[in-house]
Amino acid sequence: MVRVRIIPFLCAITFASSTSATWIEPSILDACPGYNLTNAVSQGATFTANLVLAGIACNVFGTDLEILNLTVTYQSENRIHVKITDANSSRYEVPQSVLPRPNGTLESSTRSAAIQFNYTTSPFSFMIYRTSTNETLFTTASHPLIFEPQYLRVKTALPRNANIYGLGEHSDSFRLSTFNTTRTLWSRDAYEIPTGTNLYGNHPIYFDHRTTGTHGVFLLNSNGMDIKINDTESTDGNVTLEYNVLGGVLDFYFLAGSEDNPLEVSKQYAEIVGTPAEVPYWSFGLHQCRFGYTSYVDVAEVITNYSEASIPLETMWTDIDYMDRRRIFTVDPTYFPLDRMREIIDCLHAHDQKYILMTDPAVAYAPGEGYGTYDRGTALDVWLKMPNGSAELALVWPGVTNYPDWFHPSIQDYSFWTNEFRLFYNSTDGIDIDGAWIDMNEPSNFCVLPCTDPFQQAQEMDLPPPRTAPAPDPDTPIFGNWSSNSSSSLTKRDDLLNPPYTIQNAAGNLSALTSWTNATHANGLVEYDTHNLYGTMMSVATRAAMLARRPGLRTLVITRSTFAGAGAHVGKWLGDNFSSWEEYRLSIAGMLGMAGIYQVPMVGSDICGYAENTTSTLCARWAMLGGFYPFMRNHNADTSISQEFYRWPVTAQAAKNILDIRYRLMDYFYTTFHQASLDGSPVLRALWYKYPKDTSTYSIDLQFLFGPSILVSPVTDENSTSATIYLPNDTFYDFLTLEPVTGASSNVTLTDVDFTEIPVHIIGGSILPLRVNGTMTTTDLRQTDFEIVVAPSKGGNASGQLYVDDGVSLDQMNGTTAITFEYQNGILTVNGTFGYDVGVNVAGVKILGVDQSPRNVSVVYQSGQVVGNGTFEYDKVMKVVDVSLGIPFDGAFEVHLQE
Ligand code: MIG
């Protein structure tokens, strides 16, 4: 066990330098006395009781609390809230202002609920079981509860070979290993996102999938924690899951999920953390970024080169390179002069393209230097404070910095952050960005502990780094011809810096490479408790600042650090991966976590890889896979070789191919996102979400579903042109050839998959509204006709949806269009509301998997008016009936195939 202690001299603090967590023999913890339950009161859907320490305190990591309060509420048919707190004094809880959560109390009898709470009194243990099957889903039996000031422990038994997903952010397999796994939740600037470590964000939710159903367990707690999953403690391979938490309270939400539909647990989780924010239509276009564009000339060149290569570029990005001495809300007057930056943006906007810049949280400490952001922040006193009341000094890109305190009233009321955005990112004389990119918000800190002299370290590390590239001519012509084209009463914790239990933080000490954990917010909360919320709070403030700049319009904010609930405000990229086939593969599991579980669906990895050098083949494959990342961005580190898609013929071709596919599917993506925003239906899904009884799917994380209808099965081996993929027992259709493919619950090897191709299947039973072709911008795409592809199930039925609105407004004053497609007995019925004028035609309908040519095809408006015989062709090899329509997409209609 790692021992850490504070030496009570000025600045003389020692830290645990090792990253190994506290290990303690499980039997020692199990020998703790636990609690006895008394004073039980049941009232309707609520049950309360006291828990009294049941014997001699074990005091493993502090003093066992004597009396606890237990409150159990059946909040709905599908959700039980179990909360355990200190009966005698208040403890930190995640503020409602950061994560508002539902209350609710089940009105009907608790017997009607899908899951039940049960308990034993002496010693106290509790279990959650599924009402319909009596199956135990969670049980603390034989593992006493431990509740100490800075250590909480709850341990449940799980089935053998449990299928547990979630507990991220992590870069491990989607299905977590049950062998000696520790998931540590503590935000960390995790360069190269090593597996098995804590990364940027924290989502203490897991889904437990069984052949008998899928349920979820959410521990709403922002303190540092280790969650251990292990199957080595018993001889029979049974699995345990153990929470080891550094503070806060035990605030569990048990979600019943469903016996046969894994989508339900996802929706139930969204009821707590919120459904994802809707993003603008344009944000599904291609984004290009890199760290290391040396000047405005570089940026303009990349934009031009994309255009010349005829690869659609929707959004150009610029990293911290643009800043003057890496200070946020400034531009370098020589390398990125304001007037040239404005010229770039004007040109982008004139071509229906967008621009995004990075903003970091840390503000350069620059008294008396006339740095407006620092001066205004200091005047409002918005900095995170040390216990002695002075502003905390950190070390980030601009050198010594202060951290904004997102709990400060002058940030919460928008007078600081929103104002800085308004001043710098304004359309009249500033930088008129369309979205925001926020980084370093774990918060990251370069100062190495004990960090006694950040100024000295700034010098040693040469921060801000001097520019090495030659300065550009300020008059360099760009674009050539193209452009003509509350809580102070909380109980004192002994040790906010070195709690007795050490979590497995890969950065070492809790304060290592981040803020001091004893730093204090304006409302008295300390970083010890709120560290994991920093990135999400910056996200909320940044989104508010962006909405204030362009009232009524959606924006895109992409953050690095997230906590549960972040997706209701922002999207997220998966951070500093590197250019390897392994990271390419792992990006799928990373995305599935965010989009499939945590309700942060606007997610993607840095395409072609961030750190180190990519290769043309890796980059081509990654372009193809990246076409199915909800957030599709090519991004690169400053010291890596250039990797824009036009750099190699194979990547240019790959990008063109995949962008054509992606843009044709964009309204399907948009509809999938809209559905998620309504009810939390996951945007990306592992195969088992669709085939929950097929045990072969449980560990698959190299294939995934985008929405309900698209199966993506990328080639995953280095420089290979074949892919062995799993096809469940179902009907599929090749997305490009439209040929039917019958799945037989077995692996299928696809060969000759070129680097510019990716296997994509439409799942039988789906109807897809596609645009007839891709375009150079999403603005043009919206002027492009639709075609409807009907992909029947084995039984000959299919259904689908299309949602269209103006793509940018928060409130759809221009109306919305929500269309339902149904296909059965050879009749396609298109129905719905048509409040938003789509302004284009339905060019045609393709019906797949038709064994014989129909005799005749007729097209009917709902009114009964026959608009004539559809002209059609039948392809007997691919079994496709291709009906030409060319009718305005503004009302209901039917298409009948007649045998
Ligand atoms: O210390 O802004 O993850 O995407 O290019 C590194 C420079 C800071 C980390 C981000 C990365 C970005 C880089 N940033």
Side-chain angles (χ1 to χ4, degrees), residues 446-522:
F446 298 151
C447 199
V448 176
L449 292 178
C451 189
T452 38
D453 188 350
F455 295 92
Q456 169 75 24
Q457 289 198 31
Q459 275 189 352
E460 285 163 11
M461 292 185 209
D462 219 359
L463 294 170
R467 289 186 187 265
T468 50
D473 180 330
D475 300 319
T476 311
I478 53 178
F479 297 128
N481 295 330
W482 174 73
S483 56
S484 64
N485 207 330
S486 83
S487 22
S488 47
S489 65
L490 292 181
T491 332
K492 267 224 156 316
R493 257 78 49 89
D494 291 342
D495 202 335
L496 295 177
L497 295 173
N498 296 298
Y501 180 87
T502 306
I503 58 169
Q504 197 170 310
N505 177 16
N509 187 274
L510 286 184
S511 300
L513 302 179
T514 186
S515 164
W516 291 99
T517 43
N518 62 353
T520 310
H521 291 272

Side-chain angles (χ1 to χ4, degrees), residues 193-226:
I193 53 172
T195 55
T197 69
N198 50 316
L199 304 182
Y200 309 100
N202 303 287
H203 298 268
I205 163 83
Y206 71 82
F207 291 176
D208 178 340
H209 178 65
R210 308 179 184 185
T211 50
T212 51
T214 319
H215 68 275
V217 178
F218 177 42
L219 173 59
L220 175 51
N221 181 298
S222 65
N223 284 86
M225 66 180 87
D226 281 345

Side-chain angles (χ1 to χ4, degrees), residues 96-133:
Q96 290 278 351
S97 65
V98 182
L99 184 57
R101 41 238 184 225
N103 285 316
T105 310
L106 181 63
E107 298 287 338
S108 44
S109 153
T110 56
R111 309 296 299 275
S112 71
I115 48 175
Q116 303 290 328
F117 172 89
N118 204 347
Y119 64 95
T120 60
T121 45
S122 163
F124 165 71
S125 70
F126 74 94
M127 52 285 311
I128 301 288
Y129 64 94
R130 193 178 288 290
T131 316
S132 55
T133 58

Side-chain angles (χ1 to χ4, degrees), residues 301 303-311 479 481-482 656 776:
E301 255 171 36
I303 298 166
T304 309
N305 289 341
Y306 265 98
S307 169
E308 281 174 355
S310 301
I311 302 171
F479 297 128
N481 295 330
W482 174 73
K656 285 186 204 182
M776 286 298 286

Side-chain angles (χ1 to χ4, degrees), residues 291 319-320 358 397 437 439-440 446 560 573 576 610 635:
F291 182 17
D319 205 319
I320 52 175
M358 173 177 276
W397 284 111
W437 178 23
D439 185 23
M440 308 299 272
F446 298 151
R560 196 167 70 178
W573 96 103
D576 295 341
Y610 177 74
H635 178 45

